[in-house]
Coordinates of all heavy atoms in Angstrom, one line a residue:
M1 N -64.9 -57.7 60.2 CA -66.2 -57.3 59.5 C -67.3 -57.4 60.5 O -67.5 -58.5 61.1 CB -66.4 -58.1 58.3 CG -67.7 -57.9 57.6 SD -67.8 -59.0 56.1 CE -69.4 -58.5 55.6
S2 N -68.1 -56.4 60.6 CA -69.3 -56.4 61.5 C -70.5 -56.1 60.7 O -70.5 -55.3 59.7 CB -69.2 -55.4 62.6 OG -68.1 -55.8 63.4
I3 N -71.6 -56.8 61.0 CA -72.9 -56.6 60.4 C -73.9 -56.3 61.5 O -74.0 -57.1 62.4 CB -73.3 -57.8 59.5 CG1 -72.3 -58.1 58.4 CG2 -74.7 -57.6 58.9 CD1 -72.5 -59.4 57.7
T4 N -74.7 -55.3 61.3 CA -75.7 -55.0 62.3 C -77.1 -55.4 61.7 O -77.5 -54.9 60.6 CB -75.8 -53.5 62.6 OG1 -74.4 -53.2 63.2 CG2 -76.8 -53.2 63.7
S5 N -77.8 -56.2 62.4 CA -79.2 -56.6 61.9 C -80.2 -55.6 62.5 O -80.2 -55.3 63.6 CB -79.4 -58.0 62.5 OG -80.8 -58.4 62.2
T6 N -81.0 -55.1 61.6 CA -82.1 -54.2 62.0 C -83.5 -54.7 61.7 O -84.4 -53.9 61.6 CB -81.9 -52.8 61.2 OG1 -81.9 -53.0 59.8 CG2 -80.6 -52.2 61.6
D7 N -83.6 -56.0 61.5 CA -84.9 -56.5 61.1 C -85.8 -56.7 62.3 O -87.0 -57.1 62.2 CB -84.8 -57.8 60.3 CG -84.0 -58.9 61.1 OD1 -83.4 -58.6 62.1 OD2 -84.1 -60.1 60.7
T8 N -85.3 -56.5 63.5 CA -86.1 -56.7 64.7 C -85.9 -55.5 65.6 O -85.0 -54.6 65.3 CB -85.8 -58.0 65.5 OG1 -84.5 -57.9 66.0 CG2 -86.0 -59.2 64.7
A9 N -86.6 -55.4 66.7 CA -86.4 -54.3 67.6 C -85.1 -54.3 68.3 O -84.5 -53.3 68.7 CB -87.6 -54.3 68.6
T10 N -84.5 -55.5 68.4 CA -83.2 -55.7 69.1 C -82.2 -55.7 68.0 O -82.2 -56.6 67.1 CB -83.2 -57.0 69.9 OG1 -84.3 -57.0 70.8 CG2 -81.9 -57.2 70.6
Q11 N -81.2 -54.9 68.1 CA -80.1 -54.9 67.1 C -79.0 -55.8 67.7 O -78.7 -55.8 68.8 CB -79.5 -53.5 66.9 CG -80.4 -52.5 66.2 CD -79.7 -51.2 65.8 OE1 -78.6 -51.0 66.2 NE2 -80.4 -50.5 65.1
R12 N -78.4 -56.5 66.7 CA -77.3 -57.5 67.0 C -76.2 -57.2 66.1 O -76.3 -56.9 64.9 CB -77.8 -58.9 66.8 CG -78.8 -59.4 67.8 CD -79.3 -60.8 67.4 NE -80.7 -60.5 67.1 CZ -81.3 -61.0 66.0 NH1 -80.7 -61.7 65.1 NH2 -82.6 -60.7 65.8
E13 N -75.0 -57.2 66.7 CA -73.8 -57.1 65.9 C -73.1 -58.5 65.8 O -73.0 -59.1 66.8 CB -72.8 -56.1 66.5 CG -71.6 -55.8 65.6 CD -70.8 -54.7 66.1 OE1 -71.3 -53.6 66.3 OE2 -69.6 -54.9 66.4
V14 N -72.8 -58.8 64.5 CA -72.2 -60.1 64.3 C -70.8 -59.8 63.7 O -70.6 -59.1 62.8 CB -73.0 -60.9 63.3 CG1 -72.3 -62.2 62.9 CG2 -74.4 -61.1 63.8
T15 N -69.8 -60.4 64.3 CA -68.4 -60.3 63.9 C -68.0 -61.6 63.1 O -68.2 -62.7 63.6 CB -67.4 -60.1 65.0 OG1 -67.8 -58.9 65.7 CG2 -66.0 -59.9 64.5
V16 N -67.5 -61.4 61.9 CA -67.1 -62.5 61.0 C -65.6 -62.5 60.8 O -65.1 -61.5 60.4 CB -67.9 -62.5 59.7 CG1 -67.6 -63.6 58.8 CG2 -69.4 -62.4 60.0
D17 N -65.0 -63.6 61.0 CA -63.5 -63.7 60.8 C -63.2 -63.7 59.3 O -64.1 -64.0 58.5 CB -62.9 -64.8 61.6 CG -63.4 -66.1 61.1 OD1 -62.9 -66.7 60.0 OD2 -64.4 -66.7 61.7
T18 N -61.9 -63.5 59.0 CA -61.5 -63.4 57.6 C -61.7 -64.7 56.8 O -62.2 -64.7 55.7 CB -60.0 -63.0 57.5 OG1 -59.8 -61.8 58.2 CG2 -59.5 -62.9 56.1
D19 N -61.5 -65.8 57.5 CA -61.8 -67.1 56.8 C -63.2 -67.3 56.4 O -63.5 -67.8 55.3 CB -61.3 -68.3 57.7 CG -59.8 -68.4 57.8 OD1 -59.1 -67.8 56.9 OD2 -59.3 -68.9 58.8
T20 N -64.1 -66.9 57.3 CA -65.5 -66.9 57.0 C -65.9 -66.0 55.9 O -66.7 -66.4 55.0 CB -66.4 -66.6 58.3 OG1 -66.0 -67.5 59.3 CG2 -67.8 -66.8 58.0
V21 N -65.3 -64.8 55.8 CA -65.6 -63.9 54.7 C -65.2 -64.5 53.4 O -65.9 -64.4 52.4 CB -64.9 -62.5 55.0 CG1 -65.0 -61.6 53.8 CG2 -65.5 -61.9 56.2
D22 N -64.0 -65.2 53.4 CA -63.5 -65.8 52.2 C -64.5 -66.9 51.7 O -64.8 -67.0 50.6 CB -62.1 -66.4 52.4 CG -61.0 -65.4 52.6 OD1 -61.2 -64.2 52.2 OD2 -60.0 -65.7 53.2
V23 N -64.9 -67.7 52.7 CA -65.9 -68.8 52.3 C -67.2 -68.2 51.8 O -67.7 -68.7 50.8 CB -66.2 -69.7 53.6 CG1 -67.3 -70.6 53.3 CG2 -65.0 -70.5 53.9
M24 N -67.6 -67.1 52.4 CA -68.9 -66.5 51.9 C -68.7 -65.9 50.5 O -69.6 -66.0 49.7 CB -69.3 -65.3 52.9 CG -69.7 -65.8 54.2 SD -69.8 -64.5 55.5 CE -70.8 -63.3 54.8
A25 N -67.5 -65.4 50.2 CA -67.3 -64.9 48.9 C -67.3 -66.0 47.8 O -67.8 -65.8 46.7 CB -65.9 -64.1 48.8
V26 N -66.7 -67.1 48.2 CA -66.7 -68.3 47.3 C -68.1 -68.8 47.0 O -68.5 -69.0 45.9 CB -65.7 -69.4 47.8 CG1 -65.9 -70.7 47.0 CG2 -64.3 -68.9 47.8
L27 N -68.9 -68.9 48.1 CA -70.2 -69.4 48.0 C -71.1 -68.5 47.2 O -71.9 -68.9 46.3 CB -70.8 -69.6 49.4 CG -70.3 -70.8 50.2 CD1 -70.8 -70.7 51.6 CD2 -70.5 -72.1 49.5
E28 N -70.9 -67.2 47.4 CA -71.7 -66.2 46.6 C -71.3 -66.3 45.1 O -72.2 -66.2 44.2 CB -71.4 -64.8 47.1 CG -72.2 -63.7 46.4 CD -71.9 -62.3 46.9 OE1 -71.2 -62.2 47.9 OE2 -72.5 -61.4 46.3
A29 N -70.0 -66.4 44.8 CA -69.6 -66.5 43.4 C -70.0 -67.8 42.8 O -70.4 -67.8 41.6 CB -68.0 -66.4 43.4
E30 N -70.0 -68.9 43.5 CA -70.5 -70.1 43.0 C -72.0 -70.1 42.7 O -72.5 -70.7 41.7 CB -70.2 -71.3 43.9 CG -68.7 -71.7 44.0 CD -68.4 -72.7 45.0 OE1 -69.3 -73.0 45.8 OE2 -67.3 -73.3 44.9
A31 N -72.8 -69.4 43.5 CA -74.2 -69.3 43.3 C -74.5 -68.6 41.9 O -75.5 -68.9 41.3 CB -74.8 -68.5 44.4
A32 N -73.7 -67.6 41.6 CA -73.9 -66.9 40.3 C -73.2 -67.5 39.1 O -73.3 -67.1 38.0 CB -73.4 -65.5 40.5
A33 N -72.4 -68.6 39.4 CA -71.6 -69.2 38.3 C -72.4 -69.8 37.1 O -71.9 -69.9 36.0 CB -70.7 -70.3 38.9
G34 N -73.6 -70.1 37.3 CA -74.4 -70.7 36.2 C -74.7 -69.9 35.0 O -74.9 -70.3 34.0
T35 N -74.5 -68.6 35.2 CA -74.8 -67.6 34.1 C -73.5 -67.1 33.5 O -73.6 -66.1 32.7 CB -75.6 -66.4 34.6 OG1 -74.9 -65.8 35.6 CG2 -76.9 -66.9 35.2
R36 N -72.4 -67.6 33.8 CA -71.1 -67.1 33.3 C -70.7 -67.6 31.9 O -71.1 -68.7 31.5 CB -70.0 -67.5 34.3 CG -70.2 -66.8 35.6 CD -68.9 -66.4 36.2 NE -69.2 -65.7 37.5 CZ -69.0 -66.2 38.7 NH1 -68.4 -67.4 38.8 NH2 -69.3 -65.5 39.7
A37 N -69.9 -66.8 31.3 CA -69.4 -67.2 30.0 C -68.3 -68.2 30.1 O -68.0 -68.6 31.2 CB -68.7 -65.9 29.3
A38 N -67.7 -68.6 29.0 CA -66.6 -69.6 29.0 C -65.5 -69.0 29.8 O -65.4 -67.8 30.1 CB -66.2 -69.9 27.6
R39 N -64.6 -69.9 30.2 CA -63.5 -69.4 31.0 C -62.5 -68.6 30.2 O -62.4 -68.7 29.0 CB -62.7 -70.7 31.5 CG -63.5 -71.5 32.5 CD -62.7 -72.6 33.1 NE -63.6 -73.3 34.0 CZ -63.2 -74.3 34.7 NH1 -61.9 -74.7 34.7 NH2 -64.0 -74.9 35.6
A40 N -61.8 -67.7 31.0 CA -60.8 -66.9 30.4 C -59.6 -67.7 29.9 O -59.4 -68.9 30.4 CB -60.3 -65.8 31.3
K41 N -58.8 -67.2 29.0 CA -57.6 -67.9 28.6 C -56.7 -68.0 29.8 O -56.4 -67.1 30.5 CB -56.9 -67.2 27.5 CG -55.7 -67.9 26.9 CD -55.1 -67.1 25.8 CE -53.9 -67.9 25.3 NZ -53.2 -67.2 24.3
L42 N -56.1 -69.2 30.0 CA -55.2 -69.5 31.1 C -53.9 -69.9 30.5 O -53.8 -70.8 29.7 CB -55.8 -70.6 32.0 CG -55.0 -71.0 33.2 CD1 -54.8 -69.9 34.2 CD2 -55.6 -72.2 33.9
A43 N -52.8 -69.2 30.9 CA -51.5 -69.6 30.4 C -50.6 -69.8 31.7 O -50.8 -69.1 32.7 CB -50.9 -68.4 29.6
W44 N -49.7 -70.7 31.5 CA -48.8 -71.1 32.6 C -47.3 -70.7 32.2 O -46.9 -71.0 31.1 CB -48.9 -72.6 32.9 CG -50.2 -72.9 33.5 CD1 -51.3 -73.4 32.9 CD2 -50.6 -72.8 34.9 NE1 -52.3 -73.6 33.7 CE2 -51.9 -73.3 35.0 CE3 -49.9 -72.4 36.0 CZ2 -52.6 -73.3 36.2 CZ3 -50.6 -72.4 37.2 CH2 -51.9 -72.8 37.3
T45 N -46.6 -70.2 33.2 CA -45.2 -69.9 33.1 C -44.5 -70.6 34.2 O -44.9 -70.5 35.4 CB -44.9 -68.4 33.2 OG1 -45.7 -67.8 32.2 CG2 -43.4 -68.1 32.9
Q46 N -43.4 -71.4 33.9 CA -42.6 -72.0 35.0 C -41.5 -71.0 35.4 O -40.6 -70.7 34.6 CB -42.0 -73.3 34.5 CG -41.3 -74.0 35.6 CD -40.9 -75.4 35.3 OE1 -41.1 -75.9 34.2 NE2 -40.4 -76.2 36.3
E47 N -41.7 -70.5 36.6 CA -40.8 -69.5 37.1 C -39.5 -70.1 37.6 O -38.4 -69.7 37.2 CB -41.4 -68.8 38.3 CG -42.4 -67.7 37.9 CD -41.7 -66.5 37.2 OE1 -40.7 -66.0 37.7 OE2 -42.1 -66.2 36.1
D48 N -39.6 -71.1 38.5 CA -38.4 -71.8 39.0 C -38.7 -73.2 38.9 O -39.8 -73.6 38.6 CB -38.2 -71.4 40.5 CG -37.7 -69.9 40.7 OD1 -36.9 -69.5 39.9 OD2 -38.2 -69.3 41.6
D49 N -37.7 -74.0 39.3 CA -37.9 -75.5 39.3 C -39.0 -75.8 40.4 O -38.8 -75.4 41.6 CB -36.6 -76.2 39.6 CG -36.8 -77.7 39.4 OD1 -37.5 -78.1 38.6 OD2 -36.1 -78.4 40.2
G50 N -40.1 -76.3 40.0 CA -41.2 -76.6 41.0 C -42.1 -75.5 41.3 O -42.9 -75.6 42.2
E51 N -42.2 -74.4 40.4 CA -43.1 -73.3 40.7 C -43.7 -72.9 39.3 O -42.9 -72.5 38.4 CB -42.5 -72.1 41.4 CG -43.4 -71.0 41.6 CD -42.8 -69.8 42.3 OE1 -41.6 -69.7 42.3 OE2 -43.6 -69.0 42.9
W52 N -45.0 -72.8 39.2 CA -45.7 -72.4 38.0 C -46.6 -71.2 38.3 O -47.3 -71.2 39.4 CB -46.5 -73.6 37.4 CG -45.7 -74.7 36.9 CD1 -45.3 -74.9 35.6 CD2 -45.1 -75.8 37.7 NE1 -44.5 -76.0 35.6 CE2 -44.4 -76.6 36.8 CE3 -45.2 -76.1 39.0 CZ2 -43.7 -77.7 37.3 CZ3 -44.5 -77.2 39.5 CH2 -43.8 -78.0 38.6
I53 N -46.6 -70.2 37.5 CA -47.4 -69.0 37.7 C -48.5 -69.0 36.7 O -48.3 -69.3 35.5 CB -46.6 -67.7 37.5 CG1 -45.3 -67.8 38.3 CG2 -47.4 -66.5 37.7 CD1 -45.6 -67.8 39.8
A54 N -49.8 -68.7 37.1 CA -50.9 -68.7 36.2 C -51.2 -67.3 35.8 O -51.2 -66.3 36.6 CB -52.2 -69.3 37.0
N55 N -51.5 -67.1 34.5 CA -51.9 -65.9 33.9 C -53.3 -66.1 33.5 O -53.6 -66.9 32.6 CB -51.0 -65.4 32.7 CG -51.5 -64.2 32.1 OD1 -52.7 -64.0 31.8 ND2 -50.6 -63.3 31.8
Y56 N -54.3 -65.5 34.1 CA -55.7 -65.8 33.9 C -56.4 -64.6 33.2 O -56.6 -63.6 33.9 CB -56.4 -66.2 35.2 CG -57.8 -66.7 35.0 CD1 -58.1 -68.0 34.5 CD2 -58.9 -65.9 35.3 CE1 -59.4 -68.4 34.4 CE2 -60.2 -66.3 35.1 CZ -60.4 -67.6 34.7 OH -61.7 -68.1 34.5
G57 N -56.6 -64.6 31.9 CA -57.3 -63.5 31.3 C -56.4 -62.2 31.3 O -56.9 -61.1 31.3
G58 N -55.1 -62.4 31.4 CA -54.2 -61.2 31.4 C -53.9 -60.8 32.8 O -53.1 -59.8 33.0
Y59 N -54.3 -61.5 33.8 CA -54.1 -61.1 35.2 C -53.4 -62.2 36.0 O -53.5 -63.4 35.6 CB -55.4 -60.9 35.9 CG -56.2 -59.7 35.4 CD1 -57.1 -60.0 34.3 CD2 -56.1 -58.4 35.8 CE1 -57.9 -58.9 33.8 CE2 -56.8 -57.4 35.3 CZ -57.7 -57.7 34.2 OH -58.4 -56.6 33.7
F60 N -52.7 -61.9 37.0 CA -52.0 -62.9 37.9 C -53.1 -63.7 38.5 O -54.0 -63.2 39.1 CB -51.2 -62.2 39.0 CG -50.7 -63.2 40.0 CD1 -49.7 -64.1 39.7 CD2 -51.2 -63.2 41.3 CE1 -49.2 -65.0 40.7 CE2 -50.8 -64.1 42.2 CZ -49.8 -65.0 41.9
G61 N -53.0 -65.0 38.3 CA -54.1 -65.9 38.8 C -53.7 -66.8 40.0 O -54.5 -67.4 40.6
G62 N -52.4 -66.8 40.3 CA -52.0 -67.6 41.4 C -50.8 -68.5 41.0 O -50.1 -68.3 40.0
T63 N -50.5 -69.5 41.9 CA -49.3 -70.3 41.6 C -49.6 -71.8 42.0 O -50.6 -72.1 42.7 CB -48.2 -69.9 42.6 OG1 -48.6 -70.1 43.9 CG2 -47.7 -68.5 42.3
V64 N -48.8 -72.6 41.4 CA -48.7 -74.0 41.8 C -47.3 -74.3 42.2 O -46.4 -74.0 41.4 CB -49.2 -75.0 40.7 CG1 -48.9 -76.4 41.0 CG2 -50.7 -74.7 40.3
E65 N -47.1 -74.8 43.4 CA -45.7 -75.1 43.8 C -45.6 -76.6 44.1 O -46.5 -77.2 44.7 CB -45.4 -74.4 45.1 CG -45.4 -72.9 44.9 CD -45.1 -72.1 46.2 OE1 -44.1 -72.5 46.9 OE2 -45.8 -71.2 46.6
K66 N -44.5 -77.2 43.7 CA -44.3 -78.6 44.0 C -43.6 -78.7 45.4 O -42.6 -78.0 45.6 CB -43.4 -79.2 43.0 CG -43.2 -80.7 43.2 CD -42.4 -81.4 42.1 CE -42.3 -82.9 42.4 NZ -41.6 -83.6 41.3
R67 N -44.2 -79.5 46.3 CA -43.7 -79.7 47.6 C -43.6 -81.2 47.8 O -44.6 -81.8 48.0 CB -44.6 -79.0 48.7 CG -44.6 -77.5 48.5 CD -45.4 -76.9 49.6 NE -45.6 -75.5 49.4 CZ -46.5 -74.8 50.0 NH1 -47.3 -75.3 50.9 NH2 -46.6 -73.5 49.7
D68 N -42.4 -81.6 47.9 CA -42.1 -83.1 47.9 C -42.8 -83.7 46.7 O -42.5 -83.3 45.6 CB -42.6 -83.7 49.2 CG -41.9 -83.1 50.4 OD1 -40.6 -82.9 50.3 OD2 -42.5 -82.9 51.5
A69 N -43.7 -84.7 46.9 CA -44.3 -85.3 45.7 C -45.7 -84.8 45.5 O -46.5 -85.3 44.7 CB -44.4 -86.8 46.0
R70 N -46.1 -83.6 46.1 CA -47.4 -83.1 46.0 C -47.3 -81.7 45.3 O -46.3 -81.1 45.2 CB -48.0 -82.9 47.4 CG -48.1 -84.1 48.3 CD -49.1 -85.2 47.8 NE -50.4 -84.7 47.9 CZ -51.5 -85.3 47.4 NH1 -51.3 -86.4 46.7 NH2 -52.7 -84.8 47.5
Y71 N -48.5 -81.2 44.9 CA -48.6 -79.9 44.2 C -49.6 -79.1 45.0 O -50.7 -79.5 45.1 CB -49.0 -80.0 42.7 CG -47.9 -80.8 41.9 CD1 -47.9 -82.2 41.9 CD2 -46.9 -80.1 41.2 CE1 -46.9 -82.8 41.2 CE2 -45.9 -80.7 40.5 CZ -45.9 -82.1 40.5 OH -44.9 -82.8 39.8
V72 N -49.2 -77.9 45.4 CA -50.0 -77.0 46.2 C -50.4 -75.8 45.3 O -49.5 -75.1 44.9 CB -49.4 -76.5 47.5 CG1 -50.3 -75.6 48.3 CG2 -49.0 -77.7 48.4
A73 N -51.7 -75.6 45.1 CA -52.2 -74.5 44.3 C -52.7 -73.4 45.2 O -53.4 -73.7 46.2 CB -53.3 -75.0 43.4
S74 N -52.3 -72.1 44.9 CA -52.8 -71.0 45.7 C -53.4 -70.0 44.7 O -52.8 -69.8 43.6 CB -51.6 -70.3 46.4 OG -51.1 -71.2 47.4
D75 N -54.5 -69.4 45.0 CA -55.1 -68.4 44.1 C -54.5 -67.1 44.1 O -53.5 -66.8 44.8 CB -56.7 -68.4 44.3 CG -57.0 -67.8 45.7 OD1 -56.2 -67.1 46.3 OD2 -58.2 -68.0 46.1
T76 N -55.1 -66.2 43.3 CA -54.6 -64.8 43.2 C -54.5 -64.0 44.5 O -53.7 -63.1 44.6 CB -55.4 -64.0 42.2 OG1 -54.8 -62.8 41.9 CG2 -56.8 -63.8 42.6
F77 N -55.3 -64.5 45.5 CA -55.3 -63.8 46.8 C -54.4 -64.5 47.8 O -54.3 -64.1 49.0 CB -56.7 -63.8 47.3 CG -57.7 -63.1 46.4 CD1 -58.6 -63.9 45.7 CD2 -57.6 -61.8 46.1 CE1 -59.5 -63.3 44.9 CE2 -58.5 -61.2 45.3 CZ -59.5 -61.9 44.6
G78 N -53.7 -65.5 47.4 CA -52.8 -66.2 48.2 C -53.4 -67.3 49.1 O -52.8 -67.9 49.9
L79 N -54.7 -67.6 48.8 CA -55.5 -68.6 49.5 C -55.2 -70.0 48.9 O -55.2 -70.1 47.7 CB -57.0 -68.3 49.5 CG -57.4 -67.0 50.1 CD1 -58.9 -66.8 49.9 CD2 -57.1 -67.0 51.6
V80 N -54.9 -71.0 49.7 CA -54.6 -72.3 49.2 C -55.9 -72.9 48.7 O -56.9 -73.0 49.3 CB -54.0 -73.2 50.3 CG1 -53.9 -74.6 49.8 CG2 -52.7 -72.7 50.8
V81 N -55.8 -73.3 47.4 CA -56.9 -74.0 46.7 C -57.0 -75.4 47.1 O -58.0 -76.0 47.3 CB -56.8 -73.8 45.2 CG1 -57.9 -74.6 44.5 CG2 -56.9 -72.3 44.8
G82 N -55.8 -76.1 47.2 CA -55.7 -77.5 47.5 C -54.3 -78.1 47.4 O -53.4 -77.4 46.8
D83 N -54.2 -79.3 47.8 CA -53.0 -80.1 47.7 C -53.3 -81.2 46.8 O -54.3 -82.0 47.1 CB -52.7 -80.6 49.2 CG -51.4 -81.4 49.2 OD1 -51.1 -82.0 48.2 OD2 -50.8 -81.4 50.3
F84 N -52.6 -81.3 45.7 CA -53.0 -82.3 44.6 C -51.8 -83.3 44.4 O -50.7 -83.0 44.6 CB -53.3 -81.6 43.3 CG -54.4 -80.6 43.5 CD1 -54.2 -79.3 43.9 CD2 -55.7 -81.0 43.3 CE1 -55.2 -78.3 44.1 CE2 -56.8 -80.1 43.4 CZ -56.5 -78.8 43.8
G85 N -52.2 -84.4 43.8 CA -51.2 -85.5 43.5 C -50.5 -85.3 42.2 O -49.5 -85.9 42.0
S86 N -51.0 -84.4 41.3 CA -50.3 -84.2 40.0 C -50.4 -82.7 39.7 O -51.2 -82.0 40.2 CB -51.0 -85.0 38.9 OG -52.2 -84.4 38.6
L87 N -49.5 -82.3 38.9 CA -49.4 -80.9 38.4 C -50.7 -80.6 37.6 O -51.3 -79.5 37.8 CB -48.2 -80.7 37.5 CG -48.1 -79.3 36.8 CD1 -48.1 -78.2 37.8 CD2 -46.9 -79.3 35.9
E88 N -51.2 -81.5 36.8 CA -52.4 -81.3 36.0 C -53.6 -81.1 36.9 O -54.4 -80.1 36.7 CB -52.6 -82.4 35.1 CG -53.9 -82.3 34.2 CD -54.1 -83.4 33.2 OE1 -53.3 -84.4 33.2 OE2 -55.1 -83.4 32.5
D89 N -53.7 -81.9 37.9 CA -54.9 -81.7 38.9 C -54.8 -80.4 39.6 O -55.8 -79.7 39.8 CB -54.9 -82.9 39.9 CG -55.3 -84.2 39.3 OD1 -55.8 -84.2 38.2 OD2 -55.1 -85.2 40.0
A90 N -53.6 -80.0 40.0 CA -53.4 -78.7 40.7 C -53.8 -77.5 39.8 O -54.5 -76.6 40.2 CB -52.0 -78.6 41.2
Q91 N -53.3 -77.6 38.5 CA -53.6 -76.5 37.6 C -55.1 -76.5 37.3 O -55.7 -75.4 37.2 CB -52.8 -76.7 36.3 CG -51.3 -76.4 36.5 CD -50.5 -76.7 35.3 OE1 -50.8 -77.5 34.5 NE2 -49.4 -76.0 35.2
N92 N -55.7 -77.6 37.1 CA -57.2 -77.7 36.9 C -58.0 -77.2 38.1 O -59.0 -76.5 38.0 CB -57.6 -79.1 36.5 CG -57.2 -79.5 35.2 OD1 -56.9 -78.6 34.3 ND2 -57.1 -80.8 34.9
G93 N -57.5 -77.5 39.3 CA -58.2 -77.0 40.5 C -58.1 -75.5 40.7 O -59.1 -74.8 41.0
L94 N -56.9 -74.9 40.3 CA -56.7 -73.5 40.4 C -57.6 -72.8 39.3 O -58.2 -71.8 39.6 CB -55.3 -73.1 40.2 CG -55.0 -71.6 40.2 CD1 -55.5 -70.9 41.5 CD2 -53.5 -71.4 40.1
A95 N -57.6 -73.4 38.1 CA -58.4 -72.8 37.0 C -59.9 -72.8 37.4 O -60.6 -71.8 37.2 CB -58.3 -73.7 35.8
A96 N -60.4 -73.8 38.1 CA -61.8 -73.9 38.5 C -62.1 -72.8 39.5 O -63.1 -72.1 39.5 CB -62.2 -75.2 39.1
R97 N -61.2 -72.6 40.5 CA -61.3 -71.5 41.5 C -61.3 -70.2 40.9 O -62.1 -69.3 41.2 CB -60.2 -71.6 42.5 CG -60.1 -70.5 43.5 CD -61.2 -70.3 44.5 NE -61.2 -71.4 45.5 CZ -60.6 -71.4 46.6 NH1 -59.8 -70.4 47.0 NH2 -60.7 -72.5 47.4
L98 N -60.4 -69.9 39.9 CA -60.3 -68.6 39.3 C -61.6 -68.3 38.5 O -62.0 -67.2 38.5 CB -59.0 -68.6 38.4 CG -57.7 -68.6 39.1 CD1 -56.6 -68.7 38.1 CD2 -57.5 -67.5 40.1
H99 N -62.1 -69.3 37.9 CA -63.3 -69.1 37.1 C -64.5 -68.6 38.0 O -65.3 -67.8 37.6 CB -63.7 -70.4 36.4 CG -64.9 -70.3 35.5 ND1 -65.0 -69.5 34.4 CD2 -66.2 -70.9 35.6 CE1 -66.2 -69.5 33.9 NE2 -66.9 -70.4 34.6
V100 N -64.5 -69.1 39.2 CA -65.5 -68.6 40.2 C -65.2 -67.3 40.8 O -66.0 -66.4 40.9 CB -65.7 -69.7 41.3 CG1 -66.5 -69.2 42.4 CG2 -66.3 -71.0 40.7
M101 N -63.9 -67.1 41.2 CA -63.5 -65.9 42.0 C -63.2 -64.7 41.2 O -63.2 -63.6 41.7 CB -62.3 -66.3 42.8 CG -62.5 -67.2 43.9 SD -63.7 -66.7 45.1 CE -63.0 -65.2 45.8
L102 N -62.9 -64.8 39.9 CA -62.6 -63.7 39.1 C -63.5 -63.5 37.9 O -63.1 -63.5 36.7 CB -61.1 -63.8 38.5 CG -60.0 -63.9 39.6 CD1 -58.7 -64.1 39.0 CD2 -60.0 -62.6 40.5
P103 N -64.8 -63.4 38.2 CA -65.8 -63.3 37.1 C -65.6 -62.1 36.1 O -65.9 -62.2 35.0 CB -67.1 -63.2 37.8 CG -66.8 -62.7 39.1 CD -65.4 -63.2 39.4
S104 N -65.0 -61.0 36.6 CA -64.9 -59.8 35.8 C -63.9 -59.9 34.7 O -63.8 -59.1 33.8 CB -64.6 -58.6 36.7 OG -63.4 -58.8 37.4
V105 N -63.0 -60.9 34.8 CA -62.0 -61.1 33.8 C -62.3 -62.2 32.8 O -61.6 -62.5 31.9 CB -60.6 -61.3 34.3 CG1 -60.1 -60.2 35.2 CG2 -60.5 -62.7 35.1
I106 N -63.5 -62.8 33.0 CA -63.8 -63.9 32.1 C -64.2 -63.4 30.7 O -65.0 -62.5 30.5 CB -65.0 -64.7 32.7 CG1 -64.6 -65.4 34.0 CG2 -65.6 -65.8 31.7 CD1 -65.6 -66.1 34.8
R107 N -63.5 -64.0 29.7 CA -63.8 -63.7 28.3 C -64.0 -65.0 27.6 O -63.4 -66.0 28.0 CB -62.6 -62.9 27.8 CG -62.4 -61.6 28.5 CD -61.1 -60.9 27.9 NE -60.9 -59.7 28.6 CZ -60.1 -59.6 29.7 NH1 -59.5 -60.7 30.2 NH2 -59.9 -58.4 30.3
P108 N -64.7 -65.0 26.5 CA -64.8 -66.2 25.7 C -63.4 -66.7 25.3 O -62.5 -65.9 25.0 CB -65.6 -65.8 24.5 CG -66.4 -64.6 25.0 CD -65.5 -63.9 25.9
V109 N -63.3 -68.0 25.3 CA -62.0 -68.6 24.9 C -61.9 -68.5 23.4 O -62.8 -68.8 22.6 CB -62.0 -70.1 25.3 CG1 -60.7 -70.8 24.8 CG2 -62.1 -70.2 26.8
A110 N -60.7 -68.1 22.9 CA -60.5 -67.9 21.5 C -60.1 -69.2 20.8 O -59.6 -70.1 21.4 CB -59.4 -66.8 21.2

């Protein structure tokens, strides 16, 4: 991704790597989070032993996988949300990320 600055007589091109773009997207979404509705309905399905799939507002929300004694949550884009000590913490961590990253699917909780 490149951005050209035109606010001065000298133009500059800035190249931003994918990880930085991901961080920028999260920060932008968090900045707008204060005006959002309640979280979408979140449902979990256990696919295999040690793997849970999130359905967030009717959409694929990501996964939680058990690795040794830890739980690794990944969001709908495959980005690792975190490494957690319990399944509940991993699911809550993923739910918090989805609430920020998928604002267009947020619906009031029934």
